[in-house]
């Protein structure tokens, strides 16, 4: 068995590509699963088994981006792309003569309820309801469904990752254009896009609008610390189950937008109320939930295990990302 082989599913995305580069530099033999030039496709279970059998570790990151409109087709694909790829990895591990020692699989802090009253930790967090939460529940349910006694499993409940990806770039552009004020929830016409999904579909969290005044919590992590957390979890056998991948410096939306304005030198930032956000989200083909839901999920398990964050606070992290975007000409 090659003690340094790792299989990464979904390696073509921003996080996957960064992990491939970093782990290769660490000396791992990295095999990829996905589309295009990947070493195996999701529709080739025999080849996938070849890669997984005898590997030390597996990391699953596949899933259609949630940065889209929640049409019926997109909703179905968001769920299917996560559950089916997770099942494919699970089947390969179960069939392996030499199963991997550890399997890290993506999940999301969106699994927790809208929280402004207290933090949602791995130990006592309360799961929410509605479409995004049902997707996360189904994702983790498939991850833990099979009996895999020889493989340690960790669900990476990942928060918003600050990096050179599209979502972060849009935030910086909004601030430069003078519309980098807080995003404020409020009343809006009822719709069914956030309804539950799957065999255990739940009702969306009531009420459908909340008067957060832009103080909804913003849980985030710098991409450097995402990679660092993956390295740390791979090396620490005591870590298992769900792990919040988030910086300790949880912020809120008003603070996020204020720091962004400072980073780009914008003197003003007009606020965006929900009646403004909804038409803009329609034009941008995304959902207002992305900025209006309060996510408060600190990294209790990582901190207790001794993980040290390179970017624990929001302003230095955003300034670092902003400098990288300027260098790249974004």
């Amino acid at each position: 068995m090659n003690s340094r082989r790792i299989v990464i599913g979904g390696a073509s995305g921003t996080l996957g590509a960064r992990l491939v580069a970093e782990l290769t530099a660490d000396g791992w033999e990295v095999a990829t699963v996905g589309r295009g030039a990947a070493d195996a496709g999701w529709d080739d279970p025999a080849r996938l088994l070849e890669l997984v059998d005898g590997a030390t570790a597996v990391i699953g990151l596949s899933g259609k981006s949630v940065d889209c409109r929640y049409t019926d087709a997109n909703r179905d694909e968001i769920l299917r792309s996560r559950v089916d790829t997770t099942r494919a990895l699970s089947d390969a591990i179960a069939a392996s003569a030499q199963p991997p020692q550890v399997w890290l699989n993506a999940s999301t802090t969106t699994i927790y309820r809208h929280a402004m009253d207290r933090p949602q930790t791995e130990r006592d967090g309360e799961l929410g309801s509605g479409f995004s939460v049902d997707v996360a529940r189904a994702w983790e349910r498939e991850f833990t469904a099979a009996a895999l006694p020889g493989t340690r499993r960790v669900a990476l409940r990942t928060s918003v990752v600050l990096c050179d990806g599209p979502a972060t770039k849009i935030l910086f552009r909004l601030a430069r254009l003078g519309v980098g004020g807080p995003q404020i929830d409020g009343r809006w016409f009822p719709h069914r896009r956030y309804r539950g999904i799957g065999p255990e579909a739940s009702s969306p969290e009531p009420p459908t609008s909340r008067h957060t005044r832009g103080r909804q919590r913003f849980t985030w992590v710098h991409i450097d610390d995402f990679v660092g957390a993956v390295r740390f979890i791979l090396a620490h056998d005591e870590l298992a189950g769900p792990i919040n991948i988030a910086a300790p410096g949880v912020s809120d939306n008003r603070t996020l937008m204020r720091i962004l304005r400072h980073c780009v030198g914008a003197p003003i930032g007009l606020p965006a109320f929900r009646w403004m956000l909804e038409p803009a989200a329609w034009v941008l083909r995304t959902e207002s939930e992305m900025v209006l839901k309060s996510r408060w999920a600190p990294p209790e398990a990582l901190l207790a295990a001794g993980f040290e964050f390179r970017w624990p606070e929001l302003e230095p992290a955003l300034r670092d990302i902003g400098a990288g975007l300027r260098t790249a000409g974004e």
Side-chain angles (χ1 to χ4, degrees):
M1 182 174 72
N2 186 333
S3 61
R4 297 290 291 175
R5 187 162 87 245
I6 190 166
V7 179
I8 300 180
S12 61
T14 301
L15 300 185
R18 176 69 180 271
L19 277 178
V20 168
E22 296 278 354
L23 294 176
T24 299
D26 289 347
W28 288 89
E29 175 195 338
V30 179
T32 59
V33 186
R35 296 169 294 179
D39 296 302
W42 293 110
D43 58 351
D44 188 351
R47 177 58 180 154
L48 179 57
L49 176 58
E50 282 184 39
L51 296 181
V52 169
D53 194 356
T56 297
V58 170
I59 302 177
L61 300 173
S62 291
K64 175 180 170 57
S65 172
V66 296
D67 187 13
C68 63
R69 293 296 281 179
Y70 293 168
T71 63
D72 287 351
N74 283 342
R75 282 163 46 91
D76 289 344
E77 182 59 16
I78 287 170
L79 178 63
R80 186 210 63 78
S81 62
R82 285 158 173 76
V83 171
D84 287 2
T85 55
T86 300
R87 183 181 300 122
L89 291 175
S90 181
D91 289 347
I93 293 171
S96 294
Q98 295 176 302
Q101 298 166 16
V102 57
W103 175 18
L104 280 58
N105 208 61
S107 183
T108 172
T109 54
T110 300
I111 198 169
Y112 299 114
R113 66 173 174 84
H114 177 98
M116 296 186 67
D117 55 335
R118 70 171 184 86
Q120 305 294 300
T121 68
E122 303 93 337
R123 175 176 45 85
D124 62 2
E126 300 170 274
L127 305 191
S129 59
F131 170 67
S132 296
V133 173
D134 285 353
V135 169
R137 284 177 182 265
W139 205 359
E140 291 194 8
R141 188 161 52 243
E142 189 63 45
F143 179 53
T144 59
L148 304 173
T151 301
R152 172 170 61 99
R153 282 177 277 191
V154 178
L156 304 173
R157 288 183 177 171
T158 306
S159 55
V160 175
V161 180
L162 301 181
C163 59
D164 62 354
T168 307
K169 290 176 182 177
I170 287 173
L171 287 173
F172 275 93
R173 287 173 187 160
L174 289 175
R176 290 192 192 98
L177 292 171
V179 287
Q183 285 98 39
I184 302 172
D185 205 344
R187 294 185 179 180
W188 187 248
F189 300 106
H191 61 77
R192 301 185 67 245
R193 296 191 306 279
Y194 297 168
R195 70 190 185 280
I197 193 170
E200 300 180 26
S202 63
S203 299
E205 294 180 41
T208 55
S209 66
R210 306 173 179 89
H211 298 287
T212 58
R213 302 183 299 281
R215 291 297 182 187
Q216 61 269 30
R217 293 286 182 159
F218 177 66
T219 299
W220 58 278
V221 67
H222 192 292
I223 192 168
D224 289 349
D225 285 323
F226 172 83
V227 173
V230 168
R231 285 187 175 120
F232 187 84
I233 293 167
L234 288 172
H236 284 74
D237 293 342
E238 74 276 13
L239 291 174
I243 302 288
N244 290 349
I245 309 297
V250 177
S251 186
D252 63 25
N253 181 264
R254 281 185 179 272
T255 303
L256 163 68
M257 302 311 295
R258 174 177 55 78
I259 293 173
L260 282 169
R261 294 196 301 273
H262 289 172
C263 287
V264 302
I268 63 169
L270 298 176
F273 296 90
R274 190 170 183 185
W275 61 268
M276 302 161 67
L277 279 172
E278 292 291 349
W282 181 81
V283 170
L284 294 172
R285 309 312 298 163
T286 188
E287 292 289 346
S288 64
E289 178 191 59
M290 304 291 286
V291 294
L292 294 179
K293 180 172 179 177
S294 184
R295 299 169 176 86
W296 190 356
E300 183 179 74
L302 280 176
L303 291 175
F307 179 68
E308 295 183 5
F309 285 84
R310 181 177 175 186
W311 304 100
E313 298 299 332
L314 182 58
E315 184 159 0
L318 282 172
R319 289 193 179 280
D320 177 72
I321 297 297
L325 293 177
R326 286 194 298 273
T327 300
E330 295 292 342

